[in-house]
């Protein structure tokens, strides 16, 4: 096995891809081709051939095949032995042959290096010559340009500074001079190093003279009713690439004098229409003096590259307003500031309408002076003043000293009864009313609205513990309690009303919101305040129920006095309820009659159900205690009587029997007590079901209370002797 593995390792990798293995004896127990597999494994080989024979047979067959392989290897060596000998003989003298070839090759390398050096020297010389030629060509071009500059200077001098200097302005001459001036400026760029100072001064004088003549021609064309002259002048400016110069000339010569007269503090004080009148005069200037300019230079006009509205008109107007009429920016008087700012916004909108191109309007709004003008209007200070005005009113209303206002004589369900709610709604309406709200301050006024609602919510939380004010100097505890209930109900009603006002507040804000504000987001934001009011309303409902419970529970103490009313008193059988039942029901009855129409039947039923559930639980406990006490007392009396009966003589037996018979027919004091409790409970139940219209199943332990008194009547203990 070991020798077979060695054969596979040494022979197969070397020759496996060149020839096939020699054939072995036919009696071999394995396939010889398995040794040629790349994935050959001894373990797999033994596993696959374990059924062919025992390990001894496999070992013998592998030994036989090893001998075959050795014989094949010897034969292969014998066949290639002559080639091995010839190969070693051919390698003799190879070093001398290589050395003989190296000499000529080194000589060839030296010759190639010499040729390369000669070529590099020639290329350097050629590059130097080309550079000299380039310099000469540039000098030649500069000299040619210098000649053209000289010619242009002479032409311009004759046209502008020669005999024509005092002649009237000629449009054709200006056009020729403009074209020649462009040629002059173009050529000067190529010969600036050769141009002496005198010629440079002359070129500058000629340029200034050309602009001066063009300025005069421009001012004359502005006065001409024929727009062709103005168009011609603007084209000359455009040819010279001096559009900004034309705009500057118009600003200084035409716009500035007019604005200096119109835009000033004295004009603002004396103008009949105030700032609006000044803005109208400014806009009239555009329609009177800039009509032709606007028509020629607008986007679809005949001349491009100008923006007289932005660079000439608006620049001067804004500068004059900041320096000569700075009082309009003062926010000290918010009403006046609002009017001036609204008037200014309308003025800017009319300017945008005059521009009448979206790209130009965007350029106008992006102008540095436009942004500076907007910043001068101190909107944060204006809002702070409005914030103090609006916030002071609601804060004064919610202050501690005025937190419990005097309520009206009649509480209404359709309007606010507590002054704080009216003040809050008035403050919210004021935030968005005309004369106060500015679209640029939308988010600040929205935040103020939310602050007002939040302040009202906080006040409601503190108002639950406050006592309402009373007319006069003194009031009984009952009157104070009644006034508190009245105040809490009014507060409860107002919380419901403010919840109904939330959608209208959302609509009011949505109408004033700028484009891009989603109304659903407003509903979500303002709705969070509504959730706070609903929570306060639920708390207030529980508080009112607690107040009514506190007024009703003290009367339950009288139930314990019922046994004293019938023991040893010989009273008649009870036919009506005790006064304490009416006293228990009196607070809820007064509450139902006074506020039922305002809070609604369903809400009133919720109030009363909460009150009666708590009172009934306490009522059940008190009656259960009384019945237990009555039963114990009755049993004690019965035991005592039985003891007396046993000690009596036989002669008195008949008399006792007759007395017992009489006792059976007449109700006892304990029976009267139980019957009185049943009458009281049934009167209580009838009121709950008939007057309050609440089913007995909805009141906690009310069915159990009825069952308790019924069982006391039906299951009363028998009297002695029965």
């Amino acid at each position: 096995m070991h020798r077979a593995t060695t054969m596979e390792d040494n022979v197969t990798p070397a020759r496996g891809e060149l020839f096939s293995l020699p054939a072995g004896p036919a009696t071999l127990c394995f396939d010889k081709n398995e040794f040629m597999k790349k994935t050959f494994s001894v373990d797999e080989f033994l596993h696959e051939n374990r059924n062919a024979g025992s390990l001894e047979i496999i070992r013998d067959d592998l030994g036989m095949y090893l001998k075959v392989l050795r014989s094949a290897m010897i034969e292969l060596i014998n066949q290639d032995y002559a080639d091995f000998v010839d190969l070693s003989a051919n390698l003799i003298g190879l070093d001398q042959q290589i050395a003989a070839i190296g000499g000529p090759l080194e000589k060839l390398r030296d010759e190639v290096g010499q040729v390369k050096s000669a070529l590099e020297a020639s290329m350097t010389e050629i590059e130097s010559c080309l550079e000299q030629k380039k310099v000469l060509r540039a000098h030649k071009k500069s000299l040619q340009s210098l000649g053209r500059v000289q010619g242009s200077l002479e032409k311009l001098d004759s046209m502008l500074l020669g005999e024509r200097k005092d002649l009237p302005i000629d449009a054709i001459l200006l056009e020729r001079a403009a074209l020649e001036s462009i040629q002059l400026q173009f050529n000067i760029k190529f010969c600036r190093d050769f141009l002496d100072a005198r010629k440079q001064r002359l070129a500058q004088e000629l340029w200034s003279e050309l602009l001066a003549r063009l300025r005069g021609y421009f001012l004359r064309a502005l006065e001409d009713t024929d727009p062709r002259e103005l168009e011609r002048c603007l084209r000359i400016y455009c040819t010279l690439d001096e559009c900004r110069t034309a705009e500057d000339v118009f600003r200084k010569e035409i716009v500035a004098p007019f604005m200096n007269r119109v835009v000033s503090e004295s004009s603002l004080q004396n103008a009949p229409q105030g700032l609006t009148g000044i803005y109208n005069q400014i806009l009239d200037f555009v329609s009177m003096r800039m009509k032709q300019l606007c028509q020629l230079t607008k986007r679809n006009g005949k001349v491009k590259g100008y923006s007289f509205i932005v660079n000439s008109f608006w620049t001067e107007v804004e500068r004059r307003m900041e320096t000569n009429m700075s009082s309009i920016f003062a926010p000290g008087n918010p009403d006046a500031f609002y009017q001036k700012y609204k008037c200014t916004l309308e003025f800017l909108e009319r300017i945008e309408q005059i521009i009448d191109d979206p790209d130009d309007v965007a350029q106008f709004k992006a102008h540095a002076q436009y942004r500076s003008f907007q910043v001068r209007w101190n909107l944060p200070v204006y809002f702070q003043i409005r914030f103090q005005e609006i916030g002071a009113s609601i804060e004064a209303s919610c202050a501690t000293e005025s937190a419990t206002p005097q309520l009206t004589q009649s509480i209404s369900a359709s309007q606010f009864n507590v002054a704080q709610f009216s003040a809050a709604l008035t403050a919210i309406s004021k935030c968005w009313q005309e004369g106060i709200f500015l679209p640029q301050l939308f988010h600040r006024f929205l935040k103020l609205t939310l602050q007002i609602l939040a302040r009202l919510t906080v006040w409601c939380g503190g108002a639950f513990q406050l006592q309402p004010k009373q007319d006069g100097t003194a009031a009984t505890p009952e009157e104070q309690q009644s006034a508190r209930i009245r105040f809490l109900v009014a507060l409860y009603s107002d919380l419901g009303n403010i919840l109904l006002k939330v959608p209208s507040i959302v609509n009011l804000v949505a109408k004033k919101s700028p484009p891009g504000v989603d109304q659903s987001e407003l509903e979500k934001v303002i709705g969070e305040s509504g959730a706070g009011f609903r929570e306060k309303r639920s708390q207030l409902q529980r508080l009112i129920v607690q107040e009514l419970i506190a007024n009703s529970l003290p009367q339950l103490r009288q139930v314990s006095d019922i046994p004293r009313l019938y023991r040893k008193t010989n009273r008649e059988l009870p036919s009506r309820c005790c006064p304490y039942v009416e006293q228990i029901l009196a607070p809820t009855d007064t509450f139902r009659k006074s506020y039922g129409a305002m809070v609604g039947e369903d809400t009133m039923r919720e109030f009363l159900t909460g009150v009666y559930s708590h009172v009934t639980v306490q009522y059940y406990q008190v009656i259960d205690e009384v019945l237990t006490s009555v039963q114990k007392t009755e049993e004690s009396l019965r035991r005592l009587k039985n003891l007396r009966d046993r000690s009596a003589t036989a002669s008195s037996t008949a008399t006792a029997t007759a007395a017992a018979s009489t006792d059976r027919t007449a109700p006892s004091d304990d029976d009267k007590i139980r019957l009185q409790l049943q009458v009281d409970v049934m009167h209580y139940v009838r009121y709950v079901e008939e007057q309050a219209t609440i089913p007995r199943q909805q009141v906690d332990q009310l069915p159990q209370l009825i069952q308790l008194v019924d069982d006391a009547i039906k299951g009363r203990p028998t009297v002695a002797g029965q």
Side-chain angles (χ1 to χ4, degrees):
M1 289 297 294
H2 176 71
R3 297 181 65 186
T5 304
T6 305
M7 191 67 196
E8 182 270 332
D9 291 337
N10 296 332
V11 176
T12 302
R15 294 289 186 175
E17 300 297 334
L18 301 177
F19 60 90
S20 60
L21 291 175
T27 60
L28 293 176
C29 64
F30 54 83
D31 184 7
K32 63 182 179 63
N33 293 322
E34 291 183 5
F35 297 113
M36 301 296 292
K37 295 180 180 179
K38 294 182 179 180
T39 59
F40 174 78
S41 173
V42 175
D43 296 335
E44 292 181 1
F45 176 79
L46 293 175
H47 179 72
E48 292 176 357
N49 296 281
R50 70 182 183 278
N51 297 326
S54 63
L55 292 176
E56 289 78 6
I57 295 174
I58 296 175
R59 181 193 62 189
D60 295 340
D61 289 350
L62 287 173
M64 293 172 58
Y65 192 66
L66 177 60
K67 293 178 180 180
V68 173
L69 289 176
R70 285 176 174 173
S71 299
M73 182 179 67
I74 293 172
E75 291 178 1
L76 179 62
I77 293 174
N78 291 334
Q79 291 175 2
D80 297 336
Y81 182 76
D83 294 335
F84 294 154
V85 175
D86 292 340
L87 178 61
S88 61
N90 293 333
L91 293 177
I92 298 174
L94 183 61
D95 293 340
Q96 290 79 5
Q97 295 177 7
I98 293 174
I101 297 173
L105 290 177
E106 290 179 357
K107 182 178 180 181
L108 180 61
R109 183 185 63 184
D110 295 339
E111 293 176 355
V112 171
Q114 293 175 2
V115 173
K116 182 179 178 181
S117 300
L119 289 175
E120 290 177 351
S122 300
M123 290 178 64
T124 302
E125 184 178 357
I126 292 173
E127 288 178 357
S128 177
C129 293
L130 290 175
E131 187 65 27
Q132 292 179 2
K133 185 176 182 181
K134 181 179 179 181
V135 173
L136 291 175
R137 192 174 288 171
H139 281 291
K140 181 179 179 181
K141 186 176 182 180
S142 298
L143 292 175
Q144 292 175 350
S145 298
L146 183 61
R148 296 191 189 99
V149 166
Q150 182 63 33
S152 297
L153 288 174
E154 293 176 356
K155 290 181 181 179
L156 287 173
D157 183 67
S158 63
M159 286 187 290
L160 299 176
L161 299 177
E163 298 177 355
R164 300 176 179 268
K165 183 175 182 179
D166 298 329
L167 296 178
I169 299 173
D170 186 3
I172 298 176
L173 180 64
L174 288 177
E175 290 176 346
R176 289 172 53 200
L179 294 175
E180 195 64 39
S181 180
I182 293 173
Q183 293 292 330
L184 175 62
Q185 298 299 326
F186 177 77
N187 289 315
I188 285 178
K189 292 190 298 183
F190 298 102
C191 63
R192 194 174 300 277
D193 296 336
F194 299 93
L195 199 63
D196 56 21
R198 185 184 66 81
K199 290 182 179 179
Q200 290 183 3
R201 288 195 302 272
L202 179 59
Q204 188 63 37
E205 292 176 3
L206 292 172
W207 180 260
S208 301
E209 181 65 22
L210 176 60
L211 292 180
R213 292 204 172 202
L214 190 56
R215 173 177 172 277
Y217 179 55
F218 178 55
L219 295 176
R220 190 184 68 182
L222 288 172
E223 303 295 335
D224 198 340
T225 56
D226 189 359
R228 289 178 296 181
E229 290 295 320
L230 182 59
E231 177 186 351
R232 197 171 188 178
C233 181
L234 293 176
R235 289 187 185 279
I236 296 174
Y237 270 117
C238 190
T239 302
L240 295 173
D241 195 21
E242 291 291 337
C243 297
R244 301 289 82 81
T245 302
E247 293 169 351
D248 191 60
V249 170
F250 184 77
R251 180 178 66 84
K252 292 180 179 178
E253 300 297 331
I254 306 299
V255 180
F258 180 84
M259 298 304 164
N260 193 36
R261 296 193 308 270
V262 173
V263 182
S264 63
E265 291 291 347
S266 60
S267 300
L268 180 62
Q269 299 296 329
N270 298 327
Q273 297 180 339
L275 185 61
T276 303
I278 293 178
Y279 285 153
N280 290 334
Q281 294 182 51
I282 294 174
L283 293 172
D284 290 341
F285 171 83
V286 176
S287 60
M288 292 185 301
R289 301 301 303 271
M290 300 184 64
K291 183 177 181 180
Q292 291 184 0
L293 279 176
C294 293
Q295 290 177 349
L296 290 172
T297 58
K298 61 185 179 181
R299 182 167 293 274
N300 56 353
K302 297 181 179 180
V303 185
K304 309 296 181 183
Y306 293 93
S307 183
F308 285 97
I309 292 292
V310 176
N311 298 324
S312 298
F313 169 75
W314 171 249
T315 301
E316 189 65 26
V317 169
E318 193 276 335
R319 188 177 67 85
R320 295 290 179 179
M321 292 181 68
E322 284 192 4
T323 55
N324 298 349
M325 210 162 60
S326 58
S327 63
I328 65 173
F329 303 107
N333 186 341
D335 294 331
F337 180 87
Y338 176 87
Q339 295 298 331
K340 293 175 181 178
Y341 186 71
K342 290 288 288 185
C343 179
T344 303
L345 291 180
E346 295 175 358
F347 171 64
L348 295 176
E349 289 177 0
R350 292 178 64 181
I351 293 177
E352 293 174 8
Q353 293 174 0
I354 293 173
I355 296 175
D356 193 29
D357 183 84
D359 295 335
D360 292 342
V361 171
Q363 180 185 359
F364 171 61
K365 291 184 176 181
H367 197 273
Q369 286 186 274
Y370 181 89
R371 294 197 297 268
S372 173
F373 182 71
Q374 292 285 14
V375 171
R376 289 297 300 272
W377 295 92
N378 204 332
L379 297 180
V381 174
Y382 167 77
F383 174 78
Q384 192 63 31
I385 295 174
R386 292 300 190 188
F387 178 86
Q388 293 175 357
E389 291 178 355
I390 299 172
S393 61
I394 184 66
E395 192 61 35
S397 179
C398 294
T400 304
E401 56 270 18
S402 60
T404 52
Q406 180 71 37
L407 298 178
T408 58
Q409 293 298 322
S410 60
I411 302 177
S412 173
S414 60
Q415 61 185 6
F416 292 119
N417 305 288
V418 182
Q420 282 74 11
F421 288 86
S422 299
L425 193 63
T426 301
I428 292 174
S429 301
K430 194 173 182 180
C431 288
W432 305 97
Q433 75 180 18
E434 194 70 25
I436 293 179
F437 171 73
L438 290 173
Q440 290 74 12
L441 297 172
F442 170 79
H443 291 86
R444 297 198 179 200
F445 278 106
L446 175 60
K447 182 179 179 181
L448 177 56
T449 300
L450 298 177
Q451 287 175 323
I452 293 172
L453 294 174
R455 182 66 181 92
L456 184 61
T457 305
V458 173
W459 177 84
C460 289
F464 293 169
Q465 308 303 325
L466 298 175
Q467 293 293 337
K469 293 180 179 179
Q470 297 288 332
D471 293 331
T473 58
T476 64
E478 291 77 11
E479 291 175 345
Q480 292 179 352
Q481 191 63 33
S482 176
R484 174 163 174 76
I485 293 292
R486 189 164 179 264
F487 172 70
L488 293 178
V489 172
L491 198 60
Y492 181 86
S493 175
D494 287 353
L495 283 170
N497 289 334
I498 196 68
L499 284 172
L500 297 176
K501 295 290 184 181
V502 169
S504 62
I505 294 175
V506 174
N507 294 332
L508 175 63
V509 176
K511 290 179 181 178
K512 299 291 186 177
S513 62
V517 177
D518 189 2
Q519 185 169 350
S520 62
E521 292 295 328
L522 294 177
E523 294 175 356
K524 180 180 177 181
V525 171
I526 301 178
E528 292 178 358
S529 300
F533 288 127
R534 278 189 289 271
E535 181 182 355
K536 296 298 180 185
R537 199 164 187 251
S538 300
Q539 296 176 3
L540 185 59
Q541 181 174 348
R542 293 193 293 270
L543 182 60
I544 293 174
V545 170
Q546 292 173 3
E547 292 286 341
L548 294 174
I549 292 172
N551 293 340
S552 300
L553 284 180
Q555 316 306 327
L556 288 176
R557 291 194 297 267
Q558 300 182 37
V559 178
S560 302
D561 298 334
I562 293 178
R564 291 196 295 269
L565 297 177
Y566 288 96
R567 292 191 188 281
K568 309 297 183 180
T569 59
N570 199 24
R571 283 177 175 267
E572 298 292 334
L573 288 174
S575 59
R576 56 178 299 174
C577 66
C578 293
Y580 80 88
V581 180
E582 298 292 344
Q583 294 172 3
I584 291 174
L585 297 171
T588 54
D589 186 65
T590 302
F591 181 79
R592 179 179 61 82
K593 292 178 180 178
S594 300
Y595 309 114
M598 184 183 68
V599 301
E601 294 182 1
D602 295 337
T603 305
M604 179 58 69
R605 194 174 293 110
E606 292 179 8
F607 277 113
L608 297 182
T609 301
V611 176
Y612 293 144
S613 293
H614 189 87
V615 172
T616 302
V617 171
Q618 300 297 322
Y619 198 13
Y620 180 92
Q621 295 177 358
V622 174
I623 289 182
D624 185 53
E625 292 175 358
V626 172
L627 290 175
T628 302
S629 176
V630 168
Q631 183 178 357
K632 290 180 179 180
T633 302
E634 190 175 27
E635 290 176 353
S636 299
L637 291 175
R638 186 170 61 252
R639 286 194 299 270
L640 180 61
K641 188 173 184 179
N642 289 335
L643 291 175
R644 289 176 181 177
D645 288 344
R646 291 192 193 99
S647 63
T649 60
S651 59
S652 61
T653 301
T655 305
T657 303
S661 177
T662 304
D663 290 339
R664 289 192 200 100
T665 58
S668 66
D669 293 343
D670 295 328
D671 294 337
K672 293 178 182 179
I673 294 172
R674 294 187 184 94
L675 185 58
Q676 182 64 63
L677 292 175
Q678 186 187 39
V679 171
D680 293 346
V681 169
M682 295 313 298
H683 180 81
Y684 178 81
V685 172
R686 282 194 298 272
Y687 181 88
V688 171
E689 291 184 328
E690 296 175 4
Q691 301 297 325
T693 65
I694 301 174
R696 64 179 66 179
Q697 291 79 11
Q698 295 183 6
V699 180
D700 295 347
Q701 286 197 350
L702 186 57
Q704 291 85 343
L705 178 61
I706 299 172
Q707 187 67 35
L708 178 65
V709 295
D710 288 346
D711 292 345
I713 295 297
K714 294 177 183 178
R716 66 183 181 84
T718 58
V719 294
Q722 287 184 340

